[in-house]
Amino acid sequence: MNSVPDIPIIYENSEIFIINKKAGMPVQGGEKIAHPLDEELSRQTGQKVYLVHRLDKDTSGLMIVAKTPAAANKWTKLIGSKEVEKEYVAVCIGKLAQKQGVINEDLVQHGQVKKAVTHYKVLEEKELEWEDQKITLSKVSLVLQTGRMHQIRIHLARQGCPIAGDDQHGNFRMNKVLKKAAGIKQLQLFSVRLTIPLDGKACVFALDY
């Protein structure tokens, strides 16, 4: 018996699954990687699946996975175009200077400078009191115009508003405080909405966070 719980399937057709990935699950297998999504979903559905985009291991939420190589090719292109929109929600430490805007800052990936554009909107701000300090948390909606590795995490950290629970790009000291103050134990970044073309229409799949 496999101890890994089944991955929730939100939608499927002849080409794709839309699944709700849990935080902590790596997307792709490899050496010393246990229970990756591509292997677990293949086991669960009884068919080989094909990745068309990625979520970080510690990011949870909606993700598209293809059923065939032809579908993978089609959906990889769609995701790279403007026909698929991916929206995320993050809980961040601190405040953004503006309530809405665009972060347009290049990122260096694999030794190359890449264009990276993130649209954001602040949904909510609240203040926590813990011992002798006040901590501001911001709930932010984010839409990717480009899809670079760790793009949202790096962009928000550079704005002085790192994602709570992000020990790689964020504020390690404040993350330790937030574990005690708010019970935050993992990266607070969620893939909450996918808008995709189906049967000639833009269809929206969404989760509440």
Side-chain angles (χ1 to χ4, degrees), residues 177-193:
V177 172
L178 285 170
K179 278 184 186 177
K180 298 173 186 172
I184 292 173
K185 297 177 182 175
Q186 62 192 34
L187 181 73
Q188 296 298 291
L189 178 61
F190 315 100
S191 171
V192 299
R193 184 185 295 260

Side-chain angles (χ1 to χ4, degrees), residues 149-175:
M149 185 185 296
H150 293 189
Q151 177 177 317
I152 290 172
R153 296 164 67 176
I154 296 169
H155 270 176
L156 287 170
R158 286 184 180 174
Q159 302 301 307
C161 199
I163 299 176
D166 188 352
D167 284 339
Q168 185 174 350
H169 301 288
N171 187 324
F172 185 79
R173 185 186 67 80
M174 286 303 302
N175 289 338

Side-chain angles (χ1 to χ4, degrees), residues 32-194:
K32 297 182 180 177
I33 294 178
H35 306 299
L37 184 144
D38 57 353
E39 292 179 15
E40 290 300 324
L41 189 60
S42 295
R43 173 196 60 79
Q44 178 181 326
T45 60
Q47 67 177 90
K48 182 172 173 59
V49 299
Y50 301 84
L51 298 173
V52 296
H53 67 125
R54 306 282 195 274
L55 289 179
D56 293 346
K57 177 182 175 183
D58 294 320
T59 303
S60 65
L62 297 173
M63 184 175 164
I64 301 168
V65 184
K67 293 184 173 183
T68 66
N73 185 49
K74 171 184 171 180
W75 283 91
T76 298
K77 288 176 180 171
L78 283 171
I79 288 166
S81 74
K82 292 185 176 166
E83 290 191 73
V84 171
E85 183 177 275
K86 295 180 280 185
E87 182 182 340
Y88 297 77
V89 164
V91 177
C92 304
I93 303 166
K95 289 185 180 181
L96 286 155
Q98 259 121 50
K99 301 296 185 215
Q100 188 167 347
V102 181
I103 304 168
N104 190 345
E105 289 190 19
D106 295 347
L107 301 179
V108 177
Q109 301 202 326
H110 309 298
Q112 292 185 308
V113 176
K114 301 278 190 181
K115 182 178 175 66
V117 183
T118 306
H119 299 257
Y120 73 88
K121 181 178 181 181
V122 177
L123 302 175
E124 184 183 354
E125 293 173 348
K126 67 177 182 178
E127 201 170 77
L128 293 179
E129 292 198 22
W130 176 254
E131 295 179 345
D132 60 346
Q133 61 184 314
K134 292 182 178 179
I135 306 162
T136 300
L137 294 178
S138 299
K139 186 177 181 182
V140 185
S141 165
L142 304 120
V143 174
L144 292 177
Q145 188 172 318
T146 57
R148 309 303 178 198
M149 185 185 296
H150 293 189
Q151 177 177 317
I152 290 172
R153 296 164 67 176
I154 296 169
H155 270 176
L156 287 170
R158 286 184 180 174
Q159 302 301 307
C161 199
I163 299 176
D166 188 352
D167 284 339
Q168 185 174 350
H169 301 288
N171 187 324
F172 185 79
R173 185 186 67 80
M174 286 303 302
N175 289 338
K176 288 180 75 173
V177 172
L178 285 170
K179 278 184 186 177
K180 298 173 186 172
I184 292 173
K185 297 177 182 175
Q186 62 192 34
L187 181 73
Q188 296 298 291
L189 178 61
F190 315 100
S191 171
V192 299
R193 184 185 295 260
L194 283 172

